[in-house]
Amino acid sequence: MGRQHLPKAWGLVGVVLLFLAITVQAQPESEETPVSPEDAAALATFPNCACDTYRCPNGPYRIDYLRRNATATFVELVFQIELVSCPLTVPCCQILLDSLAKIEFEVQKACEPFFISASVAGFQRTTYFDTQFPTGKIRITNLNMDQFTADRALIVLRMSRNGCNTAATLCQNGDGSCKYATFESSQHKCCPICNTILPPPPMPPSPPPPSPPPPTPFPPSPPP
């Protein structure tokens, strides 16, 4: 019996398929970009996002806790933004100087029912209380500020009188200081993380003035 011959067209198709199979095998498998330990830690902890920089000294803003204002129905925790120097060789320093778009505070998740609102520079801002992460977050967004409008601006967190109405009970640190992050935009390129400085302890009361010395007795009268 004679050998069966394939048409020339089928032979050409076989050559092409063989070439494609060799090419696919020669290509290395695609690899995902590894996540750095710093990014992995940031995704698991506050602020729960990947940024180019997290180091506090790389950002131009510090936030100080100023005071607590109490009324009959709510309590205001007042902070102030302070402009500080940062290394201009670090891109995020200049980026944040030009644009401060968001501020986040790390807080106790259980405080969500007691949070009322937040204002910055006298204007109430779009704010969210996030509870889907290991710790809570207060996100103050759409700031549209820069180094000139942010410096000395007040941040006011309004809380119910029924709970979480001190910095120590609201913030996750639990010691009266608050961890916070500043962002240039919702793209999260820059998010330096800092802590507010603990307020100084109250001055001890002044000692009472010394008692006045007893009056000096008059000398005895001379005999008559």
Side-chain angles (χ1 to χ4, degrees):
M1 181 181 291
R3 180 183 300 174
Q4 183 177 5
H5 293 275
L6 295 174
K8 290 184 179 181
W10 283 102
L12 180 61
V13 170
V15 172
V16 172
L17 291 175
L18 178 63
F19 174 77
L20 291 175
I22 295 173
T23 303
V24 170
Q25 292 179 0
Q27 291 179 347
E29 294 183 3
S30 61
E31 297 182 357
E32 294 183 359
T33 303
V35 178
S36 70
E38 187 179 38
D39 283 347
L43 291 172
T45 59
F46 178 82
N48 310 103
C49 58
C51 300
D52 288 355
T53 185
Y54 305 97
R55 297 186 66 243
C56 181
N58 291 342
Y61 306 109
R62 299 293 179 272
I63 297 177
D64 301 319
Y65 176 69
L66 292 186
R67 61 184 178 271
R68 177 180 183 270
N69 301 330
T71 71
T73 55
F74 58 82
V75 170
E76 292 181 338
L77 304 179
V78 183
F79 301 80
Q80 187 170 48
I81 303 173
E82 180 184 0
L83 184 66
V84 298
S85 61
C86 58
L88 292 174
T89 54
V90 177
C92 278
C93 173
Q94 187 62 56
I95 291 173
L96 281 164
L97 285 170
D98 295 336
S99 174
L100 175 61
K102 181 173 67 169
I103 297 171
E104 294 185 358
F105 288 90
E106 185 183 34
V107 296
Q108 300 279 352
K109 292 171 71 172
C111 292
E112 192 272 339
F114 307 110
F115 176 70
I116 299 175
S117 64
S119 64
V120 180
F123 297 97
Q124 189 163 323
R125 306 290 180 161
T126 304
T127 310
Y128 305 89
F129 196 113
D130 296 330
T131 58
Q132 69 267 36
F133 303 105
T135 59
K137 290 198 307 181
I138 292 177
R139 287 187 293 128
I140 310 172
T141 64
N142 296 327
L143 295 180
N144 297 318
M145 304 177 83
D146 58 21
Q147 59 182 307
F148 303 107
T149 54
D151 189 27
R152 315 303 293 175
L154 295 182
I155 304 170
V156 179
L157 303 182
R158 182 170 291 185
M159 308 295 298
S160 166
R161 288 185 61 91
N162 297 327
C164 301
N165 54 35
T166 67
T169 55
L170 171 65
C171 295
Q172 183 67 26
N173 288 348
D175 59 1
S177 67
C178 298
K179 185 181 293 184
Y180 63 91
T182 52
F183 298 80
E184 91 292 347
S185 72
S186 60
Q187 300 302 315
H188 299 165
K189 184 177 180 63
C190 308
C191 56
I193 306 167
C194 307
N195 280 283
T196 61
I197 299 174
L198 283 170
M203 296 292 293
S206 301
S211 301
T216 303
F218 292 103
S221 300

